[in-house]
Amino acid sequence: MRQLNTHLNRIIERLLILAMIAIVTVVCWQVFSRFILRAPSSYTEELARFILIWIGILGASYAYRTKAHLGLDLFYQKMIPSLRYKCSFVIEICVLITALSILVYGGSQLMMLSFELKQMSAALEINMGYVYIVLPLSGVLIVINCIENLIDYAQQTFTEQA
């Protein structure tokens, strides 16, 4: 499972790099077409917005994997190590429940509703379900990472007890 997860996160990392290149290119084209050509492109603002949504949500799942997400760990650092493991385990369970309920279930419902209602974007005229697909995708990635973290915490606990 660890190799699959590592491979998935490398793919996400590369996808995020490509998305950053794409958003910089799209925004530069928007500025160039607006101020130099005096004919602003009609689709670049919406495309940049959609790319930014994908970067933000996929980036959150990648940050969770690399433990680069924001956190206030003032109390956590002052805990004794055995209590830290227990606290980390409870936090991972909370993250798992939240990711499953909001991102995977809720995101899937939103995505499927958008496809069902044929909700189209204004400028690009693409189905909004393609934009919203990032929610369950990111949720699944967070769940996979969370399960791996839970397995690691369980192994550490059993190792310390043995």
Side-chain angles (χ1 to χ4, degrees):
M1 181 171 162
R2 188 175 305 277
Q3 287 179 332
L4 172 68
N5 198 12
T6 302
H7 185 66
L8 278 173
N9 283 292
R10 280 193 194 131
I11 292 171
I12 296 302
E13 182 179 310
R14 287 180 176 87
L15 186 63
L16 287 169
I17 290 169
L18 289 174
M20 289 298 292
I21 292 168
I23 198 168
V24 168
T25 304
V26 167
V27 170
C28 286
W29 175 251
Q30 173 66 16
V31 170
F32 179 77
S33 66
R34 176 173 290 171
F35 294 110
I36 306 298
L37 301 177
R38 301 278 184 210
S41 182
S42 62
Y43 66 89
T44 53
E45 181 181 342
E46 188 172 82
L47 182 58
R49 187 178 318 124
F50 293 160
I51 294 171
L52 186 62
I53 290 169
W54 273 71
I55 289 170
I57 296 174
L58 270 182
S61 69
Y62 183 75
Y64 181 75
R65 164 67 174 163
T66 59
K67 300 194 184 307
H69 55 284
L70 291 175
L72 183 60
D73 61 351
L74 179 68
F75 298 116
Y76 182 79
Q77 293 299 325
K78 293 185 185 265
M79 290 180 188
I80 58 174
S82 62
L83 188 57
R84 270 191 218 158
Y85 287 129
K86 292 174 186 172
C87 183
S88 296
F89 195 81
V90 170
I91 290 170
E92 292 295 332
I93 294 293
C94 291
V95 169
L96 181 68
I97 292 168
T98 303
L100 281 171
S101 61
I102 295 174
L103 291 173
V104 176
Y105 178 74
S108 296
Q109 293 295 317
L110 177 64
M111 179 192 70
M112 291 179 6
L113 183 65
S114 295
F115 281 126
E116 190 176 305
L117 297 176
K118 296 179 176 66
Q119 180 186 9
M120 306 300 274
S121 68
L124 294 172
E125 296 181 3
I126 61 169
N127 194 307
M128 290 300 292
Y130 294 116
V131 177
Y132 299 145
I133 201 168
V134 72
L135 291 167
L137 173 65
S138 182
V140 167
L141 292 169
I142 289 174
V143 166
I144 290 170
N145 290 322
C146 192
I147 290 170
E148 184 178 324
N149 290 344
L150 286 169
I151 291 169
D152 287 346
Y153 290 134
Q155 287 175 346
Q156 287 175 357
T157 303
F158 289 129
T159 304
E160 287 178 359
Q161 290 177 353

